[in-house]
Amino acid sequence: MTEFGIYVHWPFCASKCPYCDFNSHVRAGGIDEARFLAALRRELAHWAARRAQRTVTSVFFGGGTPSLMSAATVGAILDAVAGHWRVDPNAEITLEANPSSVEAARLRGYRAAGVNRVSLGVQSFDDSELKALGRLHTAAEARAAIDAARETFERFTFDLIYARPRQSPAAWRRELGQALRLAGRHLSLYQLTIEPDTPFAKLHAAGRLVVPDPEAALVLYEITQDMTERAGLPAYEISNHAAPGEESRHNLLYWRYGEYVGIGAGAHGRLALDGQRHAIANERQPERWAERVETLGHGALEMTPLSPAEQADEALLMGLRLGEGLDLDHLAAVGGLVPAPGTIDELMGLGLLEWCGPRRLRAARHGRFVLNEIVLRLASALEPALVPARVS
Ligand SMILES: C[S@@+](CC[C@H](N)C(=O)[O-])C[C@H]1O[C@@H](n2cnc3c(N)ncnc32)[C@H](O)[C@@H]1O
Ligand code: SF4
């Protein structure tokens, strides 16, 4: 696989949204940006020394809220990437931004620094819903940020959260219609997940926050598939929609089980080190991560060599999310294992899986709604591929 990505995690937010369990922290006293930049550069150098021969095809600044970084910091990180690796001239460089007016005003600076794609966390176009989600921006600011993104970048996308408390099919149709009128060629539509240990989880447990039941959520999901398909933005992954050719190159790399470096607090990476694929997970707490990098050169807490079965599990979990499906020959090449034909047939009989090429398997439309169960069934039925071919 030619794709090779760099993920940069900026673990700070202006405030913590009550539904969110991303590794994001609020620092009332301000952020020592110079210290975190120095640590990010040091961590990049560490991994570059071990995997210098690759060509970078995508960089993704995620968070947290990377749009709290100055354009100079973003530029310095991109310069460091280009100093260590060859960078594909068509590399996709994405930055996640919150749609407050302050952050929207920084978009030009990010473009000058080398960013060529922006992803805005819009979440809703309704002010009272934004308030209920704990967001700091208004719907008008979100629309203004989308306009600014469209003017500044050839490629932009935004996120919405649906299946929110009391959301009716009619209300979601209206909101999604509005989103599709404002969208570029990519859109991410996430169903609200009640994440453990969040304020939403406590309210939910106390019966004070009621989300649509699975049947109601399925109706909203079907509306989502129908409307986005008709608008020319079909799902290429469970929650991600794009015009053909406009998929996020960086996210495709994850789902196709490619190789990437993760830097920053709590970042994950998947790297072939001495021909063996490793899972790398960084310390999550930002200041402890920085200290670790300052002493060791990297912030990794775990560097785990992945067995063939673990690699097959991960590749299944990722690949089945995709509209293009999972190539069974690629799966066999990754871990030497493929799911037993009987289990595949059984899931096909239930209408949960379908073929989308001679050896390509994907979750059928209804299957995407119960993907975790499908992956568990297939992962428990892995057996040696007839012609196992290992790749590193
Ligand atoms: C790292 S966050 C995005 C960046 C940015 N901090 C923001 O919030 O605008 C990525 C996206 O995940 C989605 N998200 C986060 N928590 C979620 C949850 N509990 N349920 C559904 N979507 C969620 C939101 O749409 C969010 O924009
Ligand atoms: S949703 Fe975005 S802004 Fe809100 S806490 Fe999570 S990462 Fe931060």
Side-chain angles (χ1 to χ4, degrees), residues 330-350:
H330 174 64
L331 185 66
V334 163
L337 298 166
V338 287
T343 306
I344 295 176
D345 288 347
E346 200 182 301
L347 291 165
M348 288 208 171
L350 293 169

Side-chain angles (χ1 to χ4, degrees), residues 346-376:
E346 200 182 301
L347 291 165
M348 288 208 171
L350 293 169
L352 298 175
L353 276 183
E354 62 190 19
W355 293 111
C356 54
R359 297 271 296 156
R360 294 195 84 90
L361 204 55
R362 74 172 168 211
R365 190 159 154 158
H366 280 93
R368 282 181 225 157
F369 206 69
V370 288
L371 190 70
N372 289 346
E373 287 79 355
I374 297 177
V375 170
L376 279 177

Side-chain angles (χ1 to χ4, degrees), residues 19 22 63-65 96 98 121 123 135 159 161 190-193:
Y19 54 84
F22 281 84
T65 304
E96 281 182 343
N98 281 27
Q123 322 309 357
R135 302 292 294 181
D159 301 343
I161 296 181
Y190 299 107
Q191 293 203 20
L192 177 63
T193 311

Side-chain angles (χ1 to χ4, degrees), residues 12-17 19-22 24 63-65 98 123 135:
F12 303 111
C13 289
S15 72
K16 184 83 196 175
C17 305
Y19 54 84
C20 176
D21 79 339
F22 281 84
S24 62
T65 304
N98 281 27
Q123 322 309 357
R135 302 292 294 181

Side-chain angles (χ1 to χ4, degrees), residues 54-72:
R54 299 293 320 251
T55 295
V56 173
T57 52
S58 61
V59 180
F60 194 100
F61 291 89
T65 304
S67 51
L68 294 179
M69 275 190 262
S70 69

Side-chain angles (χ1 to χ4, degrees), residues 71 103-115 148 151-153:
E103 287 152 283
R106 292 203 188 117
L107 295 184
R108 278 168 183 274
Y110 295 137
R111 188 186 61 186
V115 172
E151 278 161 25
T152 315
F153 294 99

